[in-house]
Amino acid sequence: TEPQTDAHIYKTIGISPETDVISALVKKEYVIKITDAHKNIGEATNKNVRLIIEDTDSIKLTQKQKELVSVLKDVGSCTLKELCYFSGITSSVVNTLARKGVVEIFDSEYYRIPDTVLENSSFKKEIKLTDNQQKVFNEITDKLSDGGVSLLYGITGSGKTSVFLALIDEVISIGKQVIVMVPEISLTPQMMAIFKGRYGSEVAIFHSALSAGERRDEYKRVKNGLVKIAVGTRSAVFAPFSNIGLIVIDEEQEHTYKSESSPKYHTVDVAKFRA
């Protein structure tokens, strides 16, 4: 048979561990006692909640249940702890909705990665612009004091990133703040590599893949003046800066900058208004 633990053997034969039968059998060499190592650190998981049914008009719900559904429609899936915190509703309401088939409670693994700043000296090098890039830089810089909109157009590899990094350096040097947006979450990591490598902890990130708690903390870091640059998808346009000097919308023509869910808005329009 397979080896069994002491506790399992005593429970199975129905006697107390105090009788120390196993030790006696070991001494007589009727059984062998094995000391084995086992993993004591489990996978890190969170209990998450998401909507299964978007249209709940035909389902009879209490007021608290309706409020919880409303929160999930806004934030998508989030952890059970965050959902209860932000909605002010206990987990019993969530469990009731799960029994009704309105929401699903599931476990998700997360990685216990410390909050570190990516160090990459290649991103910190001084930017040397070509004559054409310098001309574009000068034209946009002239608009920084009194506002305006510029379209920076060029094929891939033409150096657009170098121009807007130089502009960001200029804006930060005069004590103002910057919002940089990308059309997709998949582009955020490569953009963050550039910005974290160049500007370190003065960068906040905004996109829908962040948990509600992470979004709240990034919002607070911006609000409290701890960062100078916000990078993310369309929600970054609402970063609560009080002294914006520049808003960059990368690949501005992409349809993802238009929000179809409530509140409906076009990022470009919001950016122009804030500028």
Side-chain angles (χ1 to χ4, degrees):
T1 62
E2 291 293 323
Q4 303 294 331
T5 63
D6 294 11
H8 178 75
I9 293 170
Y10 283 123
K11 184 178 179 181
T12 301
I13 63 179
I15 62 174
S16 171
E18 295 177 359
T19 58
D20 210 15
V21 171
I22 293 177
S23 295
L25 292 171
V26 170
K27 286 180 181 178
K28 293 183 178 181
E29 299 184 349
Y30 289 127
V31 298
I32 298 172
K33 192 166 188 176
I34 302 169
T35 302
D36 196 11
H38 65 281
K39 183 175 75 172
N40 198 34
I41 301 175
E43 305 294 349
T45 59
N46 278 325
K47 280 201 176 301
N48 291 262
V49 185
R50 64 182 164 216
L51 275 178
I52 298 176
I53 302 174
E54 288 284 341
D55 186 4
T56 56
D57 292 342
S58 61
I59 303 172
K60 188 174 181 179
L61 300 176
T62 65
Q63 183 58 37
K64 287 187 176 180
Q65 290 169 351
K66 289 178 181 177
E67 290 172 6
L68 192 144
V69 168
S70 177
V71 171
L72 284 175
K73 283 181 178 179
D74 285 339
V75 304
S77 66
C78 65
T79 67
L80 178 60
K81 186 176 180 180
E82 288 170 341
L83 182 59
C84 293
Y85 177 81
F86 287 111
S87 65
I89 294 170
T90 63
S91 59
S92 61
V93 179
V94 183
N95 293 331
T96 302
L97 283 174
R99 287 194 296 270
K100 289 184 175 183
V102 177
V103 303
E104 177 186 14
I105 302 173
F106 63 99
D107 289 331
S108 66
E109 182 182 351
Y110 67 91
Y111 296 100
R112 288 164 281 214
I113 301 174
D115 184 19
T116 57
V117 175
L118 178 65
E119 292 293 336
N120 190 328
S121 58
S122 65
F123 295 127
K124 296 182 180 180
K125 292 179 180 177
E126 181 183 354
I127 297 172
K128 295 181 179 179
L129 300 177
T130 65
D131 291 342
N132 285 335
Q133 289 172 334
Q134 187 66 48
K135 181 182 177 182
V136 172
F137 172 84
N138 292 339
E139 289 177 357
I140 299 176
T141 303
D142 290 341
K143 297 181 179 180
L144 292 179
S145 58
D146 51 5
V149 179
S150 298
L151 174 63
L152 183 57
Y153 179 81
I155 62 172
T156 302
S158 59
K160 298 188 295 294
T161 302
S162 295
V163 173
F164 73 65
L165 284 176
L167 287 165
I168 289 168
D169 288 347
E170 178 70 18
V171 169
I172 290 176
S173 71
I174 60 176
K176 292 192 174 183
Q177 300 140 341
V178 179
I179 296 174
V180 180
M181 285 171 284
V182 292
E184 300 173 22
I185 293 175
S186 61
L187 297 175
T188 309
Q190 68 187 61
M191 195 65 80
M192 284 305 298
I194 295 172
F195 280 88
K196 283 283 189 178
R198 188 170 183 81
Y199 304 107
S201 59
E202 293 185 332
V203 179
I205 182 170
F206 291 90
H207 59 72
S208 60
L210 296 179
S211 69
E214 288 170 329
R215 273 177 271 178
R216 177 175 177 270
D217 288 348
E218 290 296 77
Y219 185 93
K220 284 173 62 181
R221 288 209 306 135
V222 173
K223 187 72 173 175
N224 294 335
L226 301 178
V227 299
K228 296 177 180 177
I229 304 169
V231 179
T233 48
R234 63 174 179 249
S235 62
V237 77
F238 297 110
F241 285 129
S242 58
N243 191 20
I244 299 173
L246 178 69
I247 300 176
V248 178
I249 307 178
D250 194 31
E251 303 293 342
E252 175 268 342
Q253 77 283 355
E254 293 295 331
H255 71 280
T256 51
Y257 285 121
K258 189 175 182 180
S259 173
E260 298 294 345
S261 58
S262 181
K264 295 180 179 180
Y265 63 92
H266 198 306
T267 306
V268 176
D269 293 335
V270 178
K272 286 179 181 178
F273 179 83
R274 296 202 71 181

